[in-house]
Amino acid sequence: MKNAGLLLGAGVLLALVQQQLLLRRPPRLLELQSSTASSGPAALALRFSRPMDRASLAAGSQLQPALPHQWLGTGNPLRLLLEGNQPITGAIRLLIHGLDQRGLALQPQRWLWDPRPRLLAVVPQGKGEQLQLQQRDGRWRNLTPVFDRITAVQPLGDGAGIALATRSGEAERLWLLPLEQSALHSENSSVAAGVKAGPLRALLQEPLSFAHLSSNRRGDLLVQWSSRALGRSITSLWPRQGSRQELDLQASGPMQLLPEGGALVVPELEGLSLRNLPGRPARRQLLPGSRDLSSFCPVSGRALLVRHWPDFRRSLELVEPGQPPRQLWLGSEAVLSTACDRGGERVWLLLSNWRGGQRNRLLELNREGRIVRQRVLDDWEAEPGVPMAYDPTRRQLLLTLRPRGSAEARAVLIPVDTLQLRPLAQPLRQALWLPPG
C-alpha cells in the first residue's frame, strides 16, 4: 500500500513538472496559410500553439513593403488582412513576432509571401494547342503536351491543380494536371518559389461528347459531361478530400459551384436554383425568371446575374443574401462578361453592340448602377466565351481580346483605376488566372 502511494505521488509530481515545463515553453507558429479575402487584396491565416496577444503581434510584426494591414481575431487562430488600394507588385517580406497571452515571446519568423495569381494561357502550337504558364520573370513555360484542341480549362480554386478538356476529332477527353505551389516560403528555405506540375492523368477513361467544368476555393471539381455511349448528361463531383460522386441533378445549362463551397447554382427552366452538395441537408432555393449567372463577387453570397427580357433587352443584377436582385444596368447591348470587387462596390461590364458592327465597351459601375468610367474598345474584338477575371492583388482586369481583323488573340491587362489596355505579346486562345496555392 505504501509503495502504491509513493508511485501515485511520483506520478502526480511528474505531471506537475511537465505542466510547468509546458507553461514555460514559448509559443510556436503551427500553421501559416495564404488565402483570398473578401474585403482586401489578400489575407493570411495563422494558428499558434498558444493564444497570442494580438496587440503585441501587431506591434512586433512587419511587412516590407509596408502595406496597410490589420490583425483580426482573438487569441488563436488569428488573421492578417491586407488593406488599401496599393497594388502588390512583388513578394512581401514578412516578419512575425510578438508575445503570447502569458508574456512569452514567439521566436521571430521570417517569410516571403506572394499572393498574386499567375497567368495561364491556351497557346497555339503548330496545328494544335498547349497549356502554358507565365512565370514571374515574364517567360512562358509549357505545362502540357500539344493537343489538337483544348476546349475547357478550369484551375482548382485552391491552386492544387488544373482540370482541362481536350478534343481530338469528335471526342473529348478529361484530364487533371496536379500542381505543387505555395504563396509562402521561409526566407531561409532552399526551395525555390514556383509551380511544379505533376503527371497529367485522365479523370474519365471514356471519350466524351462534351464537358463543362467548375471549381470552388476548397478545390472541389464539378463536371457536367456526356458520352456517345451513355446518350445522356452526367454530373460528377470530385471533392478535394474524397472519391468521385455522381449528383442526381437536372439542369438546363452549366452549373457553377459556389466559391466558398457546400452548394452550387443550377439553371432550371423556372429560373436559377441554389442546391446544397452531398453531406449537407437537402435544400432548393429558386430565383424565378430568365437569368444567367455571370460572375461571383469575393464577399460570400454576392453574384452578378444577366437577366433576359421579352423585348430582347438585358439587365445586369447584383444579388445579395436576403435581398431582391438590384438592377445595375439595362440596355439592348449583349453582355459578354462581368467582374466585381468585394461585395459589388465596383462592377465591370463588357458590352457588345452587335448592331453597330461589334463595337465593344467596358464600363465600371458602382453599387447604385452609376457609370464611374468607361472605355470604348474600337480596335479590339472579344474572344467568344472567355470570361473576364479580376485580380485584387494587382487591381487589374484580365480579358482575352483580338486586334480587329487578326486571327490571334492576346491577354490584355487593364488596371481598374485607369481602364488603360496593356496587351501582352504572346499569341493565345484564352487567358485566365491560376490561384496561388
Side-chain angles (χ1 to χ4, degrees):
M1 193 72 178
K2 184 178 179 180
N3 290 339
L6 289 173
L7 288 173
L8 180 61
V12 171
L13 180 61
L14 179 61
L16 289 172
V17 171
Q18 290 176 333
Q19 184 181 40
Q20 290 301 312
L21 290 174
L22 288 174
L23 288 173
R24 291 173 183 165
R25 183 187 240 180
R28 291 171 294 128
L29 178 62
L30 300 180
E31 189 175 25
L32 182 62
Q33 288 187 334
S34 180
S35 64
T36 57
S38 60
S39 59
L44 282 176
L46 304 95
R47 188 168 63 88
F48 301 89
S49 61
R50 295 279 184 175
M52 300 297 293
D53 183 324
R54 191 180 69 190
S56 173
L57 269 177
S61 301
Q62 296 177 9
L63 274 68
Q64 185 183 2
L67 299 172
H69 65 280
Q70 62 174 317
W71 289 83
L72 305 173
T74 303
N76 194 28
L78 295 174
R79 188 171 170 85
L80 188 154
L81 177 67
L82 295 183
E83 298 179 304
N85 298 323
Q86 182 177 344
I88 298 171
T89 58
I92 301 167
R93 293 184 179 275
L94 177 65
L95 168 66
I96 304 174
H97 184 51
L99 305 177
D100 67 12
Q101 293 182 358
R102 303 162 301 160
L104 297 180
L106 173 77
Q107 182 179 354
Q109 307 278 321
R110 297 184 183 275
W111 295 83
L112 291 175
W113 178 29
D114 195 342
R116 299 173 297 169
R118 299 171 188 265
L119 188 62
L120 283 175
V122 176
V123 177
Q125 290 287 353
K127 295 184 178 180
E129 297 177 344
Q130 185 177 48
L131 187 63
Q132 296 187 7
L133 171 75
Q134 187 184 45
Q135 302 180 109
R136 295 299 190 201
D137 60 6
R139 294 181 297 172
W140 291 88
R141 170 188 158 202
N142 302 336
L143 290 181
T144 68
V146 176
F147 295 100
D148 288 352
R149 189 180 169 206
I150 298 176
T151 57
V153 180
Q154 178 61 66
L156 301 185
D158 62 351
I162 304 169
L164 63 154
T166 64
R167 179 172 288 276
S168 179
E170 296 298 319
E172 288 198 10
R173 299 296 301 270
L174 184 64
W175 309 89
L176 179 66
L177 179 68
L179 298 177
E180 291 183 15
Q181 60 163 329
S182 177
L184 287 155
H185 292 273
S186 171
E187 274 198 341
N188 299 323
S189 173
S190 59
V191 179
V195 178
K196 181 180 178 182
L200 192 68
R201 64 182 179 91
L203 279 180
L204 294 169
Q205 298 302 322
E206 60 264 51
L208 311 179
S209 55
F210 80 91
H212 171 75
L213 317 178
S214 175
S215 186
N216 57 28
R217 292 180 194 139
R218 296 181 182 179
D220 303 327
L221 174 66
L222 182 81
V223 182
Q224 292 169 264
W225 61 277
S226 180
S227 67
R228 289 188 173 183
L230 286 173
R232 60 186 178 89
S233 177
I234 302 292
T235 302
S236 299
L237 176 69
W238 280 265
R240 183 69 180 91
Q241 302 293 335
S243 56
R244 171 183 160 190
Q245 305 174 30
E246 306 300 331
L247 305 186
D248 185 17
L249 291 173
Q250 298 296 322
S252 60
M255 306 182 201
Q256 297 287 343
L257 292 171
L258 289 191
E260 60 270 22
L264 73 166
V265 177
V266 181
E268 302 182 24
L269 295 178
E270 300 86 8
L272 292 176
S273 69
L274 184 65
R275 306 285 193 99
N276 278 348
L277 290 174
R280 303 182 67 183
R283 182 184 66 163
R284 177 179 180 266
Q285 292 179 296
L286 181 69
L287 178 63
S290 179
R291 291 177 168 93
D292 297 326
L293 173 65
S294 182
S295 56
F296 291 107
C297 300
V299 174
S300 175
R302 275 71 171 178
L304 297 175
L305 307 180
V306 175
R307 185 171 186 178
H308 304 271
W309 295 88
D311 60 359
F312 301 104
R313 292 183 302 168
R314 300 162 187 86
S315 61
L316 183 69
E317 299 175 334
L318 173 66
V319 292
E320 302 176 279
Q323 301 291 329
R326 175 188 301 178
Q327 182 172 290
L328 301 179
W329 174 87
L330 175 68
S332 59
E333 295 167 282
V335 179
L336 301 182
S337 57
T338 65
C340 52
D341 186 16
R342 303 186 181 183
E345 283 76 13
R346 303 176 76 178
V347 170
W348 298 278
L349 175 64
L350 182 62
L351 301 172
S352 173
N353 185 357
W354 57 273
R355 294 175 179 171
Q358 297 294 325
R359 185 171 181 265
N360 298 328
R361 287 195 302 153
L362 178 63
L363 306 183
E364 180 186 329
L365 310 175
N366 60 18
R367 283 181 63 88
E368 287 68 46
R370 183 174 62 86
I371 297 178
V372 177
R373 56 175 59 88
Q374 62 178 307
R375 178 73 56 185
V376 177
L377 310 182
D378 279 329
D379 300 326
W380 297 90
E381 300 174 359
E383 195 69 10
V386 180
M388 183 190 310
Y390 176 56
D391 170 19
T393 64
R394 283 167 289 198
R395 296 173 52 77
Q396 61 185 358
L397 298 169
L398 171 64
L399 285 172
T400 304
L401 303 175
R402 278 180 287 114
R404 192 169 295 277
S406 172
E408 295 183 337
R410 297 287 191 273
V412 179
L413 302 175
I414 307 175
V416 296
D417 293 330
T418 63
L419 295 190
Q420 295 287 343
L421 276 61
R422 294 172 44 212
L424 303 185
Q426 172 76 296
L428 44 79
R429 306 280 191 240
Q430 177 184 357
L432 64 165
W433 295 124
L434 173 67

PDB file of all heavy atoms in Angstrom, residues 52 123 187 191 200 232 237 322 374:
ATOM      1  N   MET A  52      -2.356  34.068 -28.532  1.00  0.00           N
ATOM      2  CA  MET A  52      -1.404  35.164 -28.662  1.00  0.00           C
ATOM      3  C   MET A  52      -2.038  36.496 -28.262  1.00  0.00           C
ATOM      4  O   MET A  52      -3.258  36.672 -28.312  1.00  0.00           O
ATOM      5  CB  MET A  52      -0.904  35.245 -30.110  1.00  0.00           C
ATOM      6  CG  MET A  52      -0.204  33.995 -30.611  1.00  0.00           C
ATOM      7  SD  MET A  52       1.317  33.613 -29.702  1.00  0.00           S
ATOM      8  CE  MET A  52       2.348  34.993 -30.201  1.00  0.00           C
ATOM      9  N   VAL A 123      -2.292  28.244 -75.714  1.00  0.00           N
ATOM     10  CA  VAL A 123      -1.421  28.863 -76.719  1.00  0.00           C
ATOM     11  C   VAL A 123      -1.400  28.001 -77.981  1.00  0.00           C
ATOM     12  O   VAL A 123      -1.249  26.774 -77.898  1.00  0.00           O
ATOM     13  CB  VAL A 123       0.010  29.025 -76.164  1.00  0.00           C
ATOM     14  CG1 VAL A 123       0.950  29.601 -77.210  1.00  0.00           C
ATOM     15  CG2 VAL A 123      -0.011  29.906 -74.915  1.00  0.00           C
ATOM     16  N   GLU A 187      12.206  32.510 -45.465  1.00  0.00           N
ATOM     17  CA  GLU A 187      13.369  33.200 -46.050  1.00  0.00           C
ATOM     18  C   GLU A 187      14.611  32.320 -46.038  1.00  0.00           C
ATOM     19  O   GLU A 187      15.490  32.477 -46.879  1.00  0.00           O
ATOM     20  CB  GLU A 187      13.647  34.492 -45.267  1.00  0.00           C
ATOM     21  CG  GLU A 187      12.850  35.679 -45.749  1.00  0.00           C
ATOM     22  CD  GLU A 187      13.441  37.004 -45.289  1.00  0.00           C
ATOM     23  OE1 GLU A 187      14.225  37.004 -44.328  1.00  0.00           O
ATOM     24  OE2 GLU A 187      13.125  38.026 -45.909  1.00  0.00           O
ATOM     25  N   VAL A 191      14.150  25.899 -50.976  1.00  0.00           N
ATOM     26  CA  VAL A 191      13.191  25.550 -52.028  1.00  0.00           C
ATOM     27  C   VAL A 191      12.804  26.820 -52.787  1.00  0.00           C
ATOM     28  O   VAL A 191      12.369  27.802 -52.200  1.00  0.00           O
ATOM     29  CB  VAL A 191      11.942  24.875 -51.426  1.00  0.00           C
ATOM     30  CG1 VAL A 191      10.937  24.550 -52.535  1.00  0.00           C
ATOM     31  CG2 VAL A 191      12.329  23.623 -50.658  1.00  0.00           C
ATOM     32  N   LEU A 200       0.197  14.355 -65.972  1.00  0.00           N
ATOM     33  CA  LEU A 200      -1.172  14.524 -66.436  1.00  0.00           C
ATOM     34  C   LEU A 200      -1.891  13.182 -66.351  1.00  0.00           C
ATOM     35  O   LEU A 200      -1.375  12.161 -66.817  1.00  0.00           O
ATOM     36  CB  LEU A 200      -1.154  15.040 -67.872  1.00  0.00           C
ATOM     37  CG  LEU A 200      -2.453  15.553 -68.478  1.00  0.00           C
ATOM     38  CD1 LEU A 200      -2.898  16.836 -67.785  1.00  0.00           C
ATOM     39  CD2 LEU A 200      -2.267  15.797 -69.973  1.00  0.00           C
ATOM     40  N   ARG A 232     -26.747  10.542 -72.471  1.00  0.00           N
ATOM     41  CA  ARG A 232     -27.385  11.443 -71.504  1.00  0.00           C
ATOM     42  C   ARG A 232     -26.297  12.177 -70.729  1.00  0.00           C
ATOM     43  O   ARG A 232     -25.131  11.781 -70.728  1.00  0.00           O
ATOM     44  CB  ARG A 232     -28.291  10.679 -70.539  1.00  0.00           C
ATOM     45  CG  ARG A 232     -27.576   9.630 -69.718  1.00  0.00           C
ATOM     46  CD  ARG A 232     -28.541   8.793 -68.891  1.00  0.00           C
ATOM     47  NE  ARG A 232     -27.847   7.758 -68.145  1.00  0.00           N
ATOM     48  CZ  ARG A 232     -27.350   7.916 -66.918  1.00  0.00           C
ATOM     49  NH1 ARG A 232     -27.481   9.095 -66.322  1.00  0.00           N
ATOM     50  NH2 ARG A 232     -26.735   6.927 -66.304  1.00  0.00           N
ATOM     51  N   LEU A 237     -18.895  14.917 -59.231  1.00  0.00           N
ATOM     52  CA  LEU A 237     -18.200  15.790 -58.279  1.00  0.00           C
ATOM     53  C   LEU A 237     -16.975  15.066 -57.757  1.00  0.00           C
ATOM     54  O   LEU A 237     -17.077  13.940 -57.252  1.00  0.00           O
ATOM     55  CB  LEU A 237     -19.128  16.160 -57.115  1.00  0.00           C
ATOM     56  CG  LEU A 237     -18.503  16.988 -55.990  1.00  0.00           C
ATOM     57  CD1 LEU A 237     -18.176  18.394 -56.476  1.00  0.00           C
ATOM     58  CD2 LEU A 237     -19.431  17.042 -54.777  1.00  0.00           C
ATOM     59  N   GLY A 322     -30.794  37.494 -48.809  1.00  0.00           N
ATOM     60  CA  GLY A 322     -31.947  38.108 -48.170  1.00  0.00           C
ATOM     61  C   GLY A 322     -32.484  39.348 -48.840  1.00  0.00           C
ATOM     62  O   GLY A 322     -33.384  39.998 -48.301  1.00  0.00           O
ATOM     63  N   GLN A 374     -15.589  54.539 -68.348  1.00  0.00           N
ATOM     64  CA  GLN A 374     -15.809  53.587 -69.421  1.00  0.00           C
ATOM     65  C   GLN A 374     -14.697  53.712 -70.443  1.00  0.00           C
ATOM     66  O   GLN A 374     -13.994  54.730 -70.523  1.00  0.00           O
ATOM     67  CB  GLN A 374     -17.166  53.774 -70.082  1.00  0.00           C
ATOM     68  CG  GLN A 374     -17.393  55.104 -70.758  1.00  0.00           C
ATOM     69  CD  GLN A 374     -18.754  55.163 -71.423  1.00  0.00           C
ATOM     70  OE1 GLN A 374     -19.109  54.284 -72.213  1.00  0.00           O
ATOM     71  NE2 GLN A 374     -19.539  56.178 -71.095  1.00  0.00           N
TER      72      GLN A 374
END
